[in-house]
């Protein structure tokens, strides 16, 4: 899953140069929208707008992608209780 999303990010980086603080990227995968933002201190924050409050972060794009997948699982588990 992360490989395809990483391809999109790497393609975006290649076209737009290295991302800068506050740059945003929207990825839609399997009909789920993810919003990535480059943090000022480095790293990435990612949210899932369809899941209110589902936000995570990582030092790299790949870390943020993995962390948001985990956050989504937790969000769904909490919502079904």
């Amino acid at each position: 899953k992360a490989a395809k999303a990483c391809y999109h990010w790497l393609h975006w980086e290649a076209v737009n140069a290295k991302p800068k603080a506050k740059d945003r990227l929207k990825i839609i995968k399997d009909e789920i929208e993810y919003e990535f933002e480059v943090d000022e201190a480095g790293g990435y924050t990612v949210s899932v707008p369809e899941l209110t409050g589902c936000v995570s972060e990582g030092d790299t794009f790949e870390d943020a992608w993995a962390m948001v997948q985990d956050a989504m699982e937790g969000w769904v588990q909490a919502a079904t209780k």
Side-chain angles (χ1 to χ4, degrees):
K1 290 180 180 179
K4 188 169 186 175
C6 291
Y7 166 78
H8 291 297
W9 181 258
L10 294 174
H11 175 72
W12 183 82
E13 283 185 324
V15 171
N16 297 299
K18 186 168 175 68
K20 301 178 296 285
K22 299 295 182 183
D23 278 354
R24 292 176 177 245
L25 173 68
K26 184 184 300 184
I27 293 177
I28 299 173
K29 178 163 177 18
D30 297 329
E31 299 183 22
I32 300 171
E33 181 179 308
Y34 302 87
E35 293 182 353
F36 287 81
E37 183 176 330
V38 180
D39 294 330
E40 289 182 23
Y44 301 84
T45 299
V46 57
S47 62
V48 182
E50 291 179 45
L51 306 178
T52 304
C54 186
V55 178
S56 195
E57 58 185 19
D59 292 334
T60 65
F61 176 84
E62 293 83 359
D63 289 342
W65 180 259
M67 297 299 286
V68 79
Q69 299 304 308
D70 186 54
M72 288 172 60
E73 288 179 28
W75 191 99
V76 170
Q77 287 178 358
T80 56
K81 285 187 178 184

